[in-house]
Structures are given as C-alpha cells and as structure tokens.
Amino acid sequence: RDFCSCLGFVLNDRWTVVVSVSVMAFVLGGGVGFGRSVGGPAKSQFVGARVSAGKVHGLTARWNMADVLIVNAPSGGHAFIGYHLADQLVAKGHEVSIYNAGEEEKATKKNPCASYGDLTEKGVSVAYGDPTSEEVGADITKAFGKKFSVIIENFSKSAEEISPMVKHATETGVAQFLYVSSCGIYKKSDEVPLQVGDPVNEKAGQVAVEKLLESSGLNYSSFRPIYIVGPKAAKSDYLDYFFHRIVRKRPVLLPGSGDQMTSVTHVGDVASMLVDAVGNENASKEIFNVVSPRYVTHSGVAKLCAKATGMEAEIVSFEPDKLTVELKKFFPFRNQHFFANPGKAMSLLGWESKHGLEDAIAEGFKEFQDSGKGSADFDFSVDDMLLSEL
C-alpha cells in the first residue's frame, strides 16, 4: 500500500491494484507497467487507437470479486456471449447469475441455453423472464434474492428495451453497467479500420442505448462486436454458409471480388474483453470495439472453411444486383470492408486476443458435423439461379 501510495495511487478497502512483474519497468523509467502487457504484433498494428485523456495505458485496477448479473438474449448472434462470459467470470472468482430473456421451456431447446447445465454445475444461477418489463427489478430480486454490483446487458437493441434495466440498476446502486452494442452502428466509410469516434447511424437503436447510458449517471461501458464465431452459438450462419456448400462439393458464391476484409472474432475473445472490464477503472464511461486484432477476406474465410473440412473450395463470384432476394438473406457478411480497431481495449484494459480464426473455424466445423447439417436437406435454389446466369 505504501509503495502504491508513493506512485500516486490511492487505495481503499474496495479496490486492489494488481501489480505485475512489469512494475519494475515503471520504477526504472520505462512507463506504466501494471496489469497485462499489450505487446506483440497486434500492438504495433493499432498504434492509432483513440484513448480518452486521463486514462492510464495498461493499468488494471479491479475488484477481487463481484456479484455479476448477465442479462442475456435467448437467440441471435450475440446470445452465446452470455454463456462464455459466465464461464470466464466464474473462473476468475466472481459470483455470476444469468437473467435470460424468454421462456425457459422454449429457450433451452437450443444453444446456448441448452448448455446452461454446464454453468449451474459451477455455481451459476439462471432465471428466465422479460428484461423489458417495468417489473423486471422485482422479478430479478425474487429470482436471485440479492443485489448485484455489476450488470452486463447482452439483450437490448433499443432505448425502450433497456430502460427498465437501467432504472433497476440506478435504483439498486449498481457499481458498473456493461452493454453489448454493435459495430453495425458505424456509417459505411472508405477509411478502415473503423474506430471508436467514427460517425455512427443516429437512427440505430444501439446508438440510442449508448446515449441513454451516457445520460443515466451509471458507471457504464459499451462494447461493439462485429461477426462472432465459436462453440454454443445460437446463430452459426457466418460459417455454415461455407460449410453447406463445401461438403456438398458445390461452388461457394461470393459477392464481388471476395477481397472484402472483415472482422471475425472468437466468442472467447469477446467474453474476455468484457471480463477484463469488470471492476476496471479504465473501462469507466468508455466505448470499445470488441473484435479480433486481425481481419480476413471473404475468400479467406472460404479457404479456411475448406481447410477445416479437408476439402477444396470452388469460389465463384457473382454480382449482388443479380439476386432476387436481399443480399443479407443469402450471404452472411456485408458486401464491403467491415473491420474495426480493438486497440483502445488493448491499451486501456490490457486485453489480448487468445484465439486464432483457423482454430475457431475448426470448432465451428465440428459442431456443424455433430449437428448433422451436412447431410440434411438444404435449399440451394438461389445458388442455382445465380449459377445459371454466369
């Protein structure tokens, strides 16, 4: 305590400063060295990350243990974040509860809710209800019988949906409120990678949520993912699109050149950034892009999927204006460069990506095989129409 005081840090009974071996670098004049070092190729790749004034790079000041409530979606591309987040938080020693949107009987028929038994065996409490209800506070109190120091909201897409939970957090004195937003709110730009501070679509529901949190007085943070892959996914379209065609030896149709770059991030990395933010002073009232520090082309995803299957991918380009349906209903990625800069989280939270895309895709193919999708009936009518015109 005396040592930290001489460095200008004030500690109380609630906070602990985690000092790594790299503190020696600070003493010798090498700069701040608390928490995890950033280091490696990813650091130099994103040196332009915007960091708020007054925040200390790499400082990790956090609670030893927190009571965390995860408000989770029952389906969609973000739903499995809650499962992996709970698993990682428990491993760090936090007390974790999940308040899952939807009806238990329906939700537990598929992942991630179907796998919640893995979490309850580790002490995670789970309840189901309606996060948008004005009675949500009473429902949470009845279900868990306690107040929470941290709420992580992984459900709402509009200010109207999240308002009851914000009210509950305010009334119960929640110390930290983390929100899972989306990089989809950024306006299309010729400048990439996207970074926090770039223009956003003011009509997007998640933008309204972030504005509500900013004005709420809560100690909030917002996290913007792009495409997420990994185990227990409720939505596996990002990789299944490629697997369905490769295993049946059909052409993999890509819009345009296939050279469009995007961010495809393992769910474990998304969860770990949120975990790194829990109790971390540097996360306060900040927005982060929660994406891999590496990006990949659409054709690159096709080739990695082919490698996972042990087969070849026949890549065929098509013009999107030839489609008779919306592109997003046929192809899983945006027909543009769509990747973002996670450097702010690397600098402020000490976050590091630990999962490579090749391994993530291999995991995805195993689940694809185990589910029997490769031999099930599949509608290729749109593919056939496009191929007939080439």
Side-chain angles (χ1 to χ4, degrees), residues 64-92:
N64 286 331
M65 188 277 285
D67 263 323
V68 183
L69 176 66
I70 300 170
V71 182
N72 204 51
S75 60
H78 291 183
F80 65 149
I81 296 174
Y83 174 94
H84 292 274
L85 183 54
D87 195 40
Q88 291 188 26
L89 284 167
V90 167
K92 293 285 187 179

Side-chain angles (χ1 to χ4, degrees), residues 46-113:
F46 294 107
V47 292
R50 298 170 186 167
V51 178
S52 298
K55 296 295 175 75
V56 183
H57 289 252
L59 173 65
T60 306
R62 31 177 121 252
W63 296 302
N64 286 331
M65 188 277 285
D67 263 323
V68 183
L69 176 66
I70 300 170
V71 182
N72 204 51
S75 60
H78 291 183
F80 65 149
I81 296 174
Y83 174 94
H84 292 274
L85 183 54
D87 195 40
Q88 291 188 26
L89 284 167
V90 167
K92 293 285 187 179
H94 300 289
E95 296 287 334
V96 182
S97 301
I98 298 176
Y99 185 72
N100 213 92
E103 298 177 2
E104 181 175 1
E105 183 178 356
K106 182 178 180 180
T108 52
K109 289 180 179 179
K110 61 180 182 179
N111 275 325
C113 300

